[in-house]
Amino acid sequence: MNDILQQDIQYLPGVGPQRKKMLGEELGIMTYGDLLQYYPYKHVDRSRLYAIRELTGDMPFVQVKGHILSFETFKMSARKERVVAHFTDGTGKVMDLTWFNGGKYAKQSYTIGKEYIIFGRPNVYNGRINVTHPDIDAADKLELSAMGMQPYYNTTEKMKKMGLNSRSVDRFVKTLLSVIKEPLPETLPDFITQKLHLMSRDEALRKIHYPQNAKELERARVRLKFEELFYVQLNILRYASDQRRKYRGYVFSRVGDHFNNFYKDNLPFPLTEAQKRVIREIRKDMGSGRQMNRLLQGDVGSGKTLVALMSMLIALDNGFQACIMAPTEILAEQHLQTIMAFLKGMDIRVALLTGIVKGKRRQEILDGLLDGTVQILVGTHAVIEDTVQFAHLGMVVVDEQHRFGVAQRAKLWSKSQNPPHVLVMTATPIPRTLAMTLYGDLDVSVIDELPPGRKPVVTQHVFDRSLPSLYNSIRNQIHQGRQVYIVFPLIEESEKIDLKNLEDGYEVLRQVFPEFRLSKVHGKMKPADKEAEMQQFVSGETQILVATTVIEVGVNVPNASVMVILEAQRFGLSQLHQLRGRVGRGADQSYCILVTGYKLAEDTKKRIDIMCETNDGFRIAEADLKLRGPGDLEGTQQSGMAFDLKIADIARDGQLVQMARDEAQVIIDDDPTCENPRYVLLWKRLQELKKTNINWGVIS
C-alpha cells in the first residue's frame, strides 16, 4: 500500500503533467502521499441550514435553502454588468446573490422558482444580506447529511490563474481516496494507539479531509499531530541515547582547591538558590562517567557566567583544561574581563583567542594550550581551528545562540581523548515545549532568580509625538553620569530604507544632543569600525550608542541605564526582551522606553502590554510563541524544525509534545539499541521518515 502513496501525482485522474508541475512548484505535491498529507486549513459545516433571519454580515460560510424570486442587471461599464438574484427561504425574508463576473451564465443556469441550496460568505450591502459569487446546487441533488464538513485548502495566486483553487484540490483528494481501496498501513503500534485512544492512521488521513462533524475532525488532528511529534521526539531521544552510550565522559570526582578557594575568597556575592541548584546538576553530570550535554537557560543578569566559571574550576581541579566560546570578539573580550575579575589573586592562567590575536602572542597561547599551562581559554570560533590543540580539554562552555553542529562537535572532540563536557548557555528563555524539540538531546537547567540587589527594569510605552519630553529625560540621565542606548529597527526586507533611517536619525540625534558624544553601530559596518565604536561606548567615551539590533546580544555596560527602542512595533517580543536586557546591569534604576505611533495592530498592542507588565523572560517567551509561532522565535529559524511539521504546532500543542516525549522515552529506555522485535515498526518508520525532506539532522 505504501507503493501507491509513492505514485507520481500526474497519474491521478484529473491531474496530468501540467497540473503536476504546478502542484509540485507551488505546494510541493509530487506524489499521492504528498497530496494526502496536504491538510485543509479549515472546514465548514455543510450539514447545517440557516434561515435568512439568522444571518449577519460577520458570519463565516453559511448555506440557505430556498428559491430565486427574480434577477436584476446593473450596468457597470460598457462591457461589464453586475447581476443580482433576489433569493427567499419562504419565510418572507429576502437576501441578494451577486455576480460581478459570470452573471450571464447564472441567469441562464438557474431557474426562478426552483429550489436551490446556496453556499457562501454573507455580508451586508444596502441594509440587506448579500452573498457574492455563491456556490449553488439543486436542492434535490445535494445530500446535506452526507456532506459533513467541507475542507478548504491553501492555494496560490499562480494556481488560481490556472484554474486550480481550493475546490480543485478538494476534487483531487476525493479522487485519490476513491482510488485507495485498501486501508493505509499503520505507523504506530497497537500498544500506543490503544493506550492513548488514537484513531487508526487510515481513518485519521481520511477524516482529516472529510470528517462528519467537529469531534471527528479533532480526533483525526490529535492522531496526526501526535504521530508527527512522536517521531521527532523518538529521533531526538534515540540520538541522545546513542551519544551517551557511544561516548564516555571524563569522571570529575574531585572538588578541590580551585573551586573551594574561589568559593571561600573570591565569590563576589552569595549564590542564589537557583545557581546552587544548577551547580549541583552540573556536578552530578560531570561525576557520572557520561559526557555532559546541558543547556543552561537564564535571563540576562541571572549569573550564568559565574555558574559556568565554577563548573570550569571543577575541570581544573581534576587536572583538565576548559574553554568558553562566544559568538563575537567583543563578547569574548567581555567574558575574559569578567573571568579575570572573578579570579583576581588566584594562580590560574586565562588566555584570549580570537581572529585578531596573531603572530607571537597567538603562538604563545597555542604553546600554552599544548603544554597545559593555559588552563582556561576564552575565544570565538577560532578555538575550533585545527591549529588549536589542548593537552587535556575537559569542559567546553558555549555562550549565546550557539549550539554545536555535528561538524563543530567532532572538531572539539578530536582535541581530546574523550569528548569534553558541554554546557550551552542562552539568555533567550525558551518555552519548555520548544526546548524539548530544539534542544531535545540536551538536559536543561534553568536559573530563574536574579542576584540580590538587582532592580527590575522599568518599561514604559510612549507615542512618538512625546519624543521632545523623552529627549529631556535622556539628558537628565546623562547629566547624572549614565549612558543611553537608542535602537532603530533594521529588518531584511527594507534594509536600505532602514539604514537610511538610522543614518538620518543619527544626524538628528547629534543635533538634539550637541553637548554629548555619540557612537553609531549597525551590521553593515566593517567589523573593525564596529568594534571601535562599541569600545568607545563601553569605555564611557561616548554617552549615547545609536544602533540596530546588533547590540541585542552580549554588550555589558553596567553604566547604561536607558534603552530607547524606536518603532518598537516592528520587533518581536523576544527581541524586545533581549534589547531590554542590555540595561539594568548596575545598581541604578534602569528604564526601557518603547516608542510607537498611535495606530497599532491588536497583536502588536499585546506585545507592548506584556513588555510593560513583566520582566519574566519565560512568560514573555511563552507569549511570543503563542503570538508568533516557533518559526519567528530567536534562534529557531536555523533549526529547520518549525517548517517541517505539517499539522502539529509546538506553540499550541504543548500537551501533545509532552505526551509524545513520554511515549518515546519509554521506547528508548526499553530498547536503547533499537533491536527489540516489539518496536520494529517504529524503527522502520523512523528510517523511512529520514529519507524524506524533513530536516532530521538539524533537529538532532
Short mmCIF file of all heavy atoms in Angstrom, two decimals, residues 298-302 427 429 447-450 454-460 563 573-574 576-585 589-594 607-621:
data_model
loop_
_atom_site.label_atom_id
_atom_site.label_comp_id
_atom_site.label_asym_id
_atom_site.label_seq_id
_atom_site.Cartn_x
_atom_site.Cartn_y
_atom_site.Cartn_z
N GLY A 298 18.82 31.17 31.35
CA GLY A 298 18.68 32.16 32.42
C GLY A 298 18.63 33.54 31.82
O GLY A 298 19.34 33.83 30.86
N ASP A 299 17.77 34.38 32.38
CA ASP A 299 17.66 35.75 31.87
C ASP A 299 18.98 36.49 31.98
O ASP A 299 19.86 36.11 32.77
CB ASP A 299 16.60 36.52 32.67
CG ASP A 299 15.31 36.67 31.88
OD1 ASP A 299 15.39 36.56 30.64
OD2 ASP A 299 14.26 36.91 32.47
N VAL A 300 19.10 37.55 31.21
CA VAL A 300 20.27 38.43 31.30
C VAL A 300 20.45 38.85 32.75
O VAL A 300 19.50 39.23 33.42
CB VAL A 300 20.04 39.68 30.41
CG1 VAL A 300 21.13 40.71 30.65
CG2 VAL A 300 19.99 39.29 28.95
N GLY A 301 21.70 38.72 33.25
CA GLY A 301 21.98 39.17 34.61
C GLY A 301 21.67 38.16 35.69
O GLY A 301 21.78 38.45 36.88
N SER A 302 21.30 36.92 35.29
CA SER A 302 20.94 35.93 36.31
C SER A 302 22.15 35.20 36.89
O SER A 302 22.03 34.42 37.83
CB SER A 302 19.95 34.91 35.73
OG SER A 302 20.53 34.23 34.63
N ALA A 427 20.62 33.32 26.97
CA ALA A 427 19.84 34.30 27.72
C ALA A 427 18.48 34.51 27.06
O ALA A 427 17.71 35.35 27.49
CB ALA A 427 20.58 35.63 27.80
N PRO A 429 15.13 33.04 26.90
CA PRO A 429 14.33 31.98 27.52
C PRO A 429 13.54 31.22 26.45
O PRO A 429 12.95 31.83 25.57
CB PRO A 429 13.39 32.74 28.47
CG PRO A 429 14.06 34.06 28.69
CD PRO A 429 14.77 34.37 27.40
N ILE A 447 18.16 28.98 35.48
CA ILE A 447 18.37 29.92 36.59
C ILE A 447 17.21 30.91 36.54
O ILE A 447 17.13 31.74 35.63
CB ILE A 447 19.71 30.67 36.48
CG1 ILE A 447 20.88 29.68 36.44
CG2 ILE A 447 19.89 31.64 37.63
CD1 ILE A 447 22.25 30.33 36.31
N ASP A 448 16.28 30.77 37.46
CA ASP A 448 15.06 31.58 37.41
C ASP A 448 14.99 32.62 38.53
O ASP A 448 13.92 33.02 38.96
CB ASP A 448 13.82 30.69 37.42
CG ASP A 448 13.87 29.64 38.53
OD1 ASP A 448 14.77 29.75 39.41
OD2 ASP A 448 13.04 28.72 38.51
N GLU A 449 16.17 33.04 39.02
CA GLU A 449 16.23 34.11 40.03
C GLU A 449 17.31 35.10 39.62
O GLU A 449 18.31 34.71 39.03
CB GLU A 449 16.67 33.56 41.40
CG GLU A 449 15.68 32.71 42.13
CD GLU A 449 16.34 32.19 43.42
OE1 GLU A 449 16.44 32.97 44.39
OE2 GLU A 449 16.76 31.02 43.44
N LEU A 450 17.12 36.36 39.95
CA LEU A 450 18.18 37.36 39.76
C LEU A 450 18.95 37.51 41.06
O LEU A 450 18.39 37.33 42.14
CB LEU A 450 17.58 38.71 39.36
CG LEU A 450 17.02 38.83 37.94
CD1 LEU A 450 16.45 40.22 37.72
CD2 LEU A 450 18.09 38.55 36.89
N ARG A 454 19.58 43.51 42.48
CA ARG A 454 19.27 43.95 41.12
C ARG A 454 17.86 44.54 41.08
O ARG A 454 16.91 43.91 41.53
CB ARG A 454 19.33 42.77 40.15
CG ARG A 454 20.73 42.34 39.76
CD ARG A 454 21.29 43.30 38.71
NE ARG A 454 22.68 43.01 38.43
CZ ARG A 454 23.07 42.22 37.44
NH1 ARG A 454 22.20 41.67 36.64
NH2 ARG A 454 24.35 42.02 37.23
N LYS A 455 17.74 45.75 40.54
CA LYS A 455 16.42 46.38 40.43
C LYS A 455 15.80 46.01 39.08
O LYS A 455 16.47 46.13 38.05
CB LYS A 455 16.54 47.90 40.54
CG LYS A 455 16.98 48.37 41.92
CD LYS A 455 17.17 49.88 41.92
CE LYS A 455 17.67 50.33 43.29
NZ LYS A 455 18.11 51.73 43.27
N PRO A 456 14.52 45.59 39.07
CA PRO A 456 13.87 45.29 37.78
C PRO A 456 13.85 46.53 36.89
O PRO A 456 13.68 47.65 37.38
CB PRO A 456 12.45 44.88 38.16
CG PRO A 456 12.48 44.61 39.63
CD PRO A 456 13.61 45.41 40.20
N VAL A 457 14.05 46.34 35.59
CA VAL A 457 14.00 47.45 34.64
C VAL A 457 12.55 47.93 34.52
O VAL A 457 11.63 47.12 34.37
CB VAL A 457 14.52 47.01 33.25
CG1 VAL A 457 14.41 48.15 32.23
CG2 VAL A 457 15.95 46.51 33.35
N VAL A 458 12.34 49.23 34.59
CA VAL A 458 11.00 49.81 34.40
C VAL A 458 10.78 50.01 32.91
O VAL A 458 11.57 50.67 32.23
CB VAL A 458 10.88 51.17 35.15
CG1 VAL A 458 9.54 51.83 34.82
CG2 VAL A 458 11.03 50.97 36.65
N THR A 459 9.70 49.40 32.39
CA THR A 459 9.42 49.51 30.95
C THR A 459 8.20 50.39 30.73
O THR A 459 7.17 50.20 31.38
CB THR A 459 9.17 48.11 30.35
OG1 THR A 459 10.29 47.28 30.63
CG2 THR A 459 8.97 48.17 28.85
N GLN A 460 8.34 51.36 29.82
CA GLN A 460 7.24 52.30 29.55
C GLN A 460 6.99 52.39 28.05
O GLN A 460 7.92 52.27 27.24
CB GLN A 460 7.60 53.70 30.08
CG GLN A 460 7.75 53.73 31.59
CD GLN A 460 8.33 55.05 32.09
OE1 GLN A 460 8.96 55.79 31.33
NE2 GLN A 460 8.14 55.34 33.36
N MET A 563 17.32 52.29 27.76
CA MET A 563 17.23 51.65 26.45
C MET A 563 16.00 52.23 25.76
O MET A 563 14.87 52.03 26.21
CB MET A 563 17.08 50.13 26.61
CG MET A 563 16.65 49.39 25.34
SD MET A 563 17.83 49.48 23.98
CE MET A 563 19.18 48.49 24.64
N LEU A 573 8.61 39.98 20.52
CA LEU A 573 8.73 40.03 21.99
C LEU A 573 10.11 39.61 22.47
O LEU A 573 10.70 40.26 23.33
CB LEU A 573 7.67 39.11 22.62
CG LEU A 573 6.40 39.77 23.12
CD1 LEU A 573 5.43 38.72 23.63
CD2 LEU A 573 6.71 40.77 24.25
N SER A 574 10.61 38.51 21.93
CA SER A 574 11.91 38.02 22.39
C SER A 574 13.01 39.03 22.09
O SER A 574 13.93 39.23 22.88
CB SER A 574 12.25 36.66 21.76
OG SER A 574 11.48 35.66 22.36
N LEU A 576 12.60 42.34 21.82
CA LEU A 576 12.43 43.46 22.75
C LEU A 576 13.02 43.10 24.12
O LEU A 576 13.69 43.90 24.76
CB LEU A 576 10.95 43.82 22.90
CG LEU A 576 10.28 44.46 21.67
CD1 LEU A 576 8.77 44.58 21.88
CD2 LEU A 576 10.87 45.84 21.37
N HIS A 577 12.77 41.85 24.55
CA HIS A 577 13.27 41.42 25.86
C HIS A 577 14.80 41.37 25.89
O HIS A 577 15.43 41.75 26.87
CB HIS A 577 12.67 40.05 26.20
CG HIS A 577 13.07 39.55 27.55
ND1 HIS A 577 12.75 40.21 28.72
CD2 HIS A 577 13.77 38.46 27.92
CE1 HIS A 577 13.24 39.54 29.75
NE2 HIS A 577 13.87 38.48 29.30
N GLN A 578 15.38 40.88 24.78
CA GLN A 578 16.84 40.82 24.70
C GLN A 578 17.44 42.23 24.74
O GLN A 578 18.43 42.48 25.42
CB GLN A 578 17.28 40.13 23.41
CG GLN A 578 17.18 38.62 23.47
CD GLN A 578 18.24 38.03 24.37
OE1 GLN A 578 19.43 38.29 24.24
NE2 GLN A 578 17.81 37.22 25.33
N LEU A 579 16.83 43.16 24.00
CA LEU A 579 17.32 44.54 24.00
C LEU A 579 17.20 45.16 25.38
O LEU A 579 18.11 45.83 25.86
CB LEU A 579 16.55 45.37 22.96
CG LEU A 579 16.89 45.06 21.50
CD1 LEU A 579 15.85 45.66 20.56
CD2 LEU A 579 18.28 45.58 21.14
N ARG A 580 16.09 44.91 26.05
CA ARG A 580 15.91 45.44 27.40
C ARG A 580 16.98 44.89 28.34
O ARG A 580 17.41 45.58 29.28
CB ARG A 580 14.51 45.07 27.91
CG ARG A 580 14.28 45.48 29.36
CD ARG A 580 12.82 45.37 29.74
NE ARG A 580 12.30 44.01 29.67
CZ ARG A 580 11.03 43.69 29.87
NH1 ARG A 580 10.14 44.64 30.14
NH2 ARG A 580 10.62 42.44 29.80
N GLY A 581 17.45 43.68 28.07
CA GLY A 581 18.47 43.06 28.92
C GLY A 581 19.82 43.74 28.86
O GLY A 581 20.71 43.44 29.66
N ARG A 582 20.00 44.69 27.93
CA ARG A 582 21.27 45.44 27.86
C ARG A 582 21.37 46.45 29.01
O ARG A 582 22.47 46.92 29.31
CB ARG A 582 21.40 46.20 26.54
CG ARG A 582 21.46 45.36 25.28
CD ARG A 582 22.56 44.34 25.32
NE ARG A 582 22.04 43.00 25.57
CZ ARG A 582 22.67 42.07 26.24
NH1 ARG A 582 23.84 42.30 26.78
NH2 ARG A 582 22.14 40.89 26.41
N VAL A 583 20.24 46.83 29.61
CA VAL A 583 20.29 47.76 30.75
C VAL A 583 19.86 47.01 32.02
O VAL A 583 19.41 45.87 31.96
CB VAL A 583 19.40 49.01 30.53
CG1 VAL A 583 19.94 49.84 29.37
CG2 VAL A 583 17.94 48.64 30.29
N GLY A 584 20.02 47.68 33.16
CA GLY A 584 19.68 47.02 34.42
C GLY A 584 20.80 46.15 34.95
O GLY A 584 20.59 45.25 35.76
N ARG A 585 22.03 46.41 34.47
CA ARG A 585 23.17 45.57 34.87
C ARG A 585 23.96 46.17 36.01
O ARG A 585 24.89 45.56 36.51
CB ARG A 585 24.07 45.35 33.66
CG ARG A 585 23.41 44.48 32.62
CD ARG A 585 24.10 44.51 31.28
NE ARG A 585 23.63 43.36 30.52
CZ ARG A 585 24.32 42.24 30.33
NH1 ARG A 585 25.52 42.13 30.83
NH2 ARG A 585 23.81 41.26 29.64
N GLN A 589 18.61 52.43 39.05
CA GLN A 589 17.34 52.12 38.40
C GLN A 589 17.49 52.33 36.89
O GLN A 589 18.01 53.34 36.44
CB GLN A 589 16.23 53.03 38.93
CG GLN A 589 14.87 52.78 38.30
CD GLN A 589 14.35 51.37 38.59
OE1 GLN A 589 14.13 51.02 39.73
NE2 GLN A 589 14.21 50.56 37.54
N SER A 590 17.04 51.34 36.11
CA SER A 590 17.15 51.44 34.65
C SER A 590 15.77 51.46 34.01
O SER A 590 14.78 51.02 34.61
CB SER A 590 17.96 50.26 34.10
OG SER A 590 19.31 50.39 34.49
N TYR A 591 15.75 51.96 32.75
CA TYR A 591 14.47 52.16 32.06
C TYR A 591 14.57 51.64 30.63
O TYR A 591 15.60 51.78 29.97
CB TYR A 591 14.11 53.65 32.01
CG TYR A 591 14.02 54.28 33.38
CD1 TYR A 591 15.17 54.84 33.98
CD2 TYR A 591 12.83 54.31 34.08
CE1 TYR A 591 15.11 55.40 35.24
CE2 TYR A 591 12.75 54.87 35.35
CZ TYR A 591 13.90 55.42 35.93
OH TYR A 591 13.84 55.96 37.19
N CYS A 592 13.46 51.05 30.16
CA CYS A 592 13.34 50.67 28.75
C CYS A 592 12.11 51.40 28.20
O CYS A 592 11.00 51.23 28.72
CB CYS A 592 13.15 49.15 28.62
SG CYS A 592 12.89 48.61 26.92
N ILE A 593 12.33 52.23 27.18
CA ILE A 593 11.24 53.04 26.62
C ILE A 593 10.89 52.52 25.23
O ILE A 593 11.73 52.52 24.33
CB ILE A 593 11.65 54.54 26.53
CG1 ILE A 593 12.30 55.01 27.84
CG2 ILE A 593 10.44 55.40 26.14
CD1 ILE A 593 11.42 54.96 29.05
N LEU A 594 9.65 52.07 25.06
CA LEU A 594 9.16 51.56 23.78
C LEU A 594 8.40 52.67 23.07
O LEU A 594 7.38 53.15 23.58
CB LEU A 594 8.24 50.36 24.00
CG LEU A 594 8.80 49.23 24.88
CD1 LEU A 594 7.76 48.15 25.11
CD2 LEU A 594 10.07 48.63 24.27
N ARG A 607 1.84 42.66 22.51
CA ARG A 607 3.29 42.54 22.75
C ARG A 607 3.79 43.67 23.63
O ARG A 607 4.53 43.45 24.59
CB ARG A 607 4.06 42.56 21.41
CG ARG A 607 3.96 41.31 20.61
CD ARG A 607 5.16 41.13 19.69
NE ARG A 607 5.38 42.22 18.76
CZ ARG A 607 4.80 42.33 17.58
NH1 ARG A 607 3.93 41.43 17.19
NH2 ARG A 607 5.09 43.33 16.78
N ILE A 608 3.38 44.90 23.29
CA ILE A 608 3.84 46.07 24.05
C ILE A 608 3.34 45.97 25.50
O ILE A 608 4.09 46.24 26.45
CB ILE A 608 3.33 47.38 23.39
CG1 ILE A 608 3.83 47.49 21.94
CG2 ILE A 608 3.74 48.59 24.21
CD1 ILE A 608 5.28 47.75 21.74
N ASP A 609 2.07 45.57 25.68
CA ASP A 609 1.49 45.47 27.03
C ASP A 609 2.24 44.43 27.87
O ASP A 609 2.53 44.66 29.05
CB ASP A 609 0.00 45.09 26.95
CG ASP A 609 -0.86 46.24 26.44
OD1 ASP A 609 -0.35 47.39 26.41
OD2 ASP A 609 -2.03 46.00 26.08
N ILE A 610 2.55 43.28 27.26
CA ILE A 610 3.27 42.22 28.00
C ILE A 610 4.63 42.73 28.45
O ILE A 610 5.07 42.48 29.58
CB ILE A 610 3.41 40.95 27.13
CG1 ILE A 610 2.04 40.27 26.96
CG2 ILE A 610 4.40 39.96 27.76
CD1 ILE A 610 2.00 39.25 25.84
N MET A 611 5.32 43.46 27.56
CA MET A 611 6.64 44.00 27.90
C MET A 611 6.54 44.95 29.10
O MET A 611 7.43 44.97 29.96
CB MET A 611 7.24 44.74 26.71
CG MET A 611 7.81 43.84 25.63
SD MET A 611 9.22 42.88 26.19
CE MET A 611 10.41 44.16 26.52
N CYS A 612 5.49 45.76 29.13
CA CYS A 612 5.34 46.73 30.22
C CYS A 612 4.92 46.06 31.52
O CYS A 612 5.20 46.54 32.61
CB CYS A 612 4.32 47.82 29.85
SG CYS A 612 4.89 48.86 28.47
N GLU A 613 4.25 44.90 31.41
CA GLU A 613 3.73 44.22 32.60
C GLU A 613 4.78 43.39 33.33
O GLU A 613 4.73 43.25 34.54
CB GLU A 613 2.59 43.26 32.20
CG GLU A 613 1.27 43.93 31.91
CD GLU A 613 0.33 42.96 31.18
OE1 GLU A 613 0.53 41.73 31.29
OE2 GLU A 613 -0.59 43.45 30.51
N THR A 614 5.71 42.76 32.58
CA THR A 614 6.58 41.77 33.23
C THR A 614 8.01 41.83 32.71
O THR A 614 8.26 42.19 31.56
CB THR A 614 6.03 40.35 33.02
OG1 THR A 614 6.85 39.42 33.72
CG2 THR A 614 6.00 39.95 31.55
N ASN A 615 8.94 41.44 33.59
CA ASN A 615 10.35 41.25 33.21
C ASN A 615 10.69 39.76 33.12
O ASN A 615 11.83 39.40 32.90
CB ASN A 615 11.26 41.91 34.24
CG ASN A 615 11.32 43.42 34.06
OD1 ASN A 615 11.97 43.93 33.17
ND2 ASN A 615 10.62 44.14 34.91
N ASP A 616 9.69 38.91 33.34
CA ASP A 616 9.91 37.46 33.38
C ASP A 616 10.10 36.93 31.95
O ASP A 616 9.16 36.85 31.16
CB ASP A 616 8.69 36.79 34.03
CG ASP A 616 8.85 35.28 34.15
OD1 ASP A 616 9.66 34.70 33.40
OD2 ASP A 616 8.15 34.67 34.99
N GLY A 617 11.34 36.56 31.64
CA GLY A 617 11.67 36.12 30.28
C GLY A 617 10.90 34.90 29.83
O GLY A 617 10.58 34.76 28.66
N PHE A 618 10.59 33.99 30.76
CA PHE A 618 9.88 32.77 30.37
C PHE A 618 8.42 33.07 30.04
O PHE A 618 7.86 32.52 29.09
CB PHE A 618 9.99 31.70 31.46
CG PHE A 618 11.37 31.10 31.49
CD1 PHE A 618 12.34 31.59 32.35
CD2 PHE A 618 11.71 30.09 30.60
CE1 PHE A 618 13.62 31.07 32.34
CE2 PHE A 618 13.00 29.57 30.59
CZ PHE A 618 13.95 30.05 31.47
N ARG A 619 7.81 33.98 30.80
CA ARG A 619 6.44 34.38 30.49
C ARG A 619 6.39 35.07 29.12
O ARG A 619 5.49 34.86 28.32
CB ARG A 619 5.92 35.33 31.58
CG ARG A 619 4.43 35.53 31.48
CD ARG A 619 3.88 36.44 32.55
NE ARG A 619 2.72 37.14 32.03
CZ ARG A 619 2.26 38.27 32.49
NH1 ARG A 619 2.84 38.86 33.50
NH2 ARG A 619 1.20 38.83 31.96
N ILE A 620 7.41 35.88 28.86
CA ILE A 620 7.49 36.60 27.58
C ILE A 620 7.70 35.61 26.43
O ILE A 620 7.06 35.71 25.39
CB ILE A 620 8.62 37.64 27.64
CG1 ILE A 620 8.16 38.84 28.48
CG2 ILE A 620 9.05 38.10 26.25
CD1 ILE A 620 9.25 39.78 28.91
N ALA A 621 8.56 34.62 26.64
CA ALA A 621 8.83 33.64 25.58
C ALA A 621 7.59 32.80 25.28
O ALA A 621 7.30 32.50 24.12
CB ALA A 621 9.99 32.72 26.00
#
